[in-house]
């Protein structure tokens, strides 16, 4: 089985579960750290011809991260493309099962069982909080409806202030964000790299929590430990 992954989360999942199956991945596929495969460009602008030259049996993609025009080009070249749709944690677990089976996994990996167990329980007791979750700056963009990261936070007792917005990633002026009556701001380090010096200053008077974007937005082996680590970071904001 020869697999090309156009999704960082899926790249990590396939690499650690089906060693040797991956022959290509995007420039943004940073895990595992020692991944040694042909790079085929970005998630939004992959080099379709480069993917075709790798003669994969399967390309794994995601309906949000990848463009349909690129996937159509791969199909036109006779390549099978598996497209995932991930909007919440249960959906991520189901899609991971599907992808790994399609890539030749000989059984369910332990990390996936551990991830399912970690996310099976209810949120820890305590008052729920509402958060603004920026994902980009210039212009400001935040999590909106039906997002995996929004579901992750909801399962940790943190409700997304824009969960009912008509857009999945709405552009919202920072003045409006500050007037949203939220309890805190959650700032991941991807896709925009928010840092202690770039982001919190835009929200005077609001607690800002810097989080590892991989724990918040990736669905793969990191899911097994993400709940405990995110919960610890979010609770620190209450102190």
């Amino acid at each position: 089985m020869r697999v090309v992954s156009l999704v960082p989360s899926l790249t990590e999942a396939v690499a650690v579960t089906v060693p040797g199956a991956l022959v290509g991945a995007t420039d943004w596929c940073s895990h595992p750290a020692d991944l040694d495969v042909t790079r085929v460009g970005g998630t939004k602008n992959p080099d379709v011809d480069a993917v075709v030259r790798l003669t994969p049996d399967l390309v794994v993609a995601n309906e949000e991260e990848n463009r349909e025009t690129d996937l159509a080009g791969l199909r036109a070249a006779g390549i099978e493309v598996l497209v995932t749709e991930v909007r919440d944690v249960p959906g991520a677990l189901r899609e991971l099962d599907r992808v790994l089976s399609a890539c030749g996994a000989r059984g369910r990996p332990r990390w996936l069982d551990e991830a399912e167990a970690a996310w099976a329980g209810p949120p820890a007791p305590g008052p729920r909080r509402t958060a603004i979750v920026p994902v980009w700056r210039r212009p400001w963009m935040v999590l909106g409806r039906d997002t995996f990261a929004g579901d992750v936070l909801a399962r940790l007792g943190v409700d997304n202030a824009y969960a009912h917005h008509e857009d999945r990633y709405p552009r919202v002026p920072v003045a409006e964000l500050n007037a949203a009556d939220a309890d805190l701001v959650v700032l991941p380090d991807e896709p925009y790299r928010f840092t202690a010096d770039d982001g919190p200053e835009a929200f005077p008077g609001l607690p800002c929590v810097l989080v590892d974007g991989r724990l918040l937005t990736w669905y793969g082996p990191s899911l097994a430990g993400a709940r405990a680590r995110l919960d610890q970071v979010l609770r620190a904001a209450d102190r």
Side-chain angles (χ1 to χ4, degrees), residues 61-72:
N62 175 263
E63 52 88 26
E64 177 181 302
E65 295 198 49
N66 307 119
R67 303 184 307 168
E68 177 55 34
T69 183
D70 297 318
L71 305 184

Side-chain angles (χ1 to χ4, degrees), residues 1-58:
M1 172 68 72
R2 293 173 62 82
V3 179
V4 171
S5 172
L6 301 181
V7 184
S9 295
L10 298 180
T11 296
E12 182 180 20
V14 174
V16 303
T17 306
V18 194
L22 276 176
V23 295
T26 75
D27 299 341
W28 297 103
C29 294
S30 57
H31 288 74
D34 60 352
L35 184 66
D36 183 17
V37 297
T38 299
R39 301 295 175 160
V40 296
T43 57
K44 301 296 186 186
N45 58 344
D47 185 335
V48 172
D49 291 337
V51 175
V52 172
R53 287 194 296 272
L54 289 171
T55 62
D57 300 298
L58 180 68

Side-chain angles (χ1 to χ4, degrees), residues 15 27 33 42-43 77 101 112-113 140 149 167 196 200 218-219:
D27 299 341
T43 57
S101 293
L112 190 51
D113 288 334
W140 285 95
D167 297 327
W218 286 43
Y219 41 93

